[in-house]
Amino acid sequence: MALKPLHDRVLVRRTESEEKTAGGLIIPDSAKEKPSEGVVVACGAGARKDSGELIEMAVSAGDRIMFGKWSGTEVTVDGEELLMMKESDIMGIIE
């Protein structure tokens, strides 16, 4: 099953978080926070102005992004957990 976001929404795959601290301590799964970084899997066409003009998306598939801690809605596609969020929830593109 493929999922294509509509309008100004993006589908994001979270990146894995570090398993060790800078000091070398191993962090158990129960203490890990969900990462606020991810890779854009798919994008919608963009938002529309009141006049009907299309506003292009600033991100595209494959971009590494940073987003807010509570951003998006978790969805499961083909057994994989992804996030669906609005483009405005994205704080920046990691270059």
Side-chain angles (χ1 to χ4, degrees):
M1 171 177 89
L3 180 61
K4 173 135 177 79
L6 297 177
H7 309 294
D8 64 338
R9 290 184 176 80
V10 295
L11 193 60
V12 177
R13 177 181 297 119
R14 288 185 195 262
T15 56
E16 294 298 318
S17 60
E18 293 293 320
E19 301 212 359
K20 290 185 180 181
T21 65
L25 297 174
I26 296 175
I27 303 169
D29 288 338
S30 59
K32 286 183 190 175
E33 287 190 23
K34 290 187 177 181
S36 59
E37 291 182 16
V39 176
V40 176
V41 176
C43 296
R48 295 218 177 254
K49 294 182 181 179
D50 290 337
S51 63
E53 182 182 349
L54 184 67
I55 303 169
E56 285 191 36
M57 299 285 280
V59 296
S60 58
D63 286 347
R64 281 188 61 215
I65 59 167
M66 180 174 278
F67 50 87
K69 189 173 184 175
W70 305 108
S71 299
T73 301
E74 292 183 356
V75 295
T76 303
V77 179
D78 294 333
E80 182 179 16
E81 287 194 20
L82 302 171
L83 282 175
M84 180 74 74
M85 67 180 69
K86 286 189 159 260
E87 183 184 29
S88 60
D89 291 338
I90 298 172
M91 293 189 282
I93 299 172
I94 301 170
E95 297 181 345

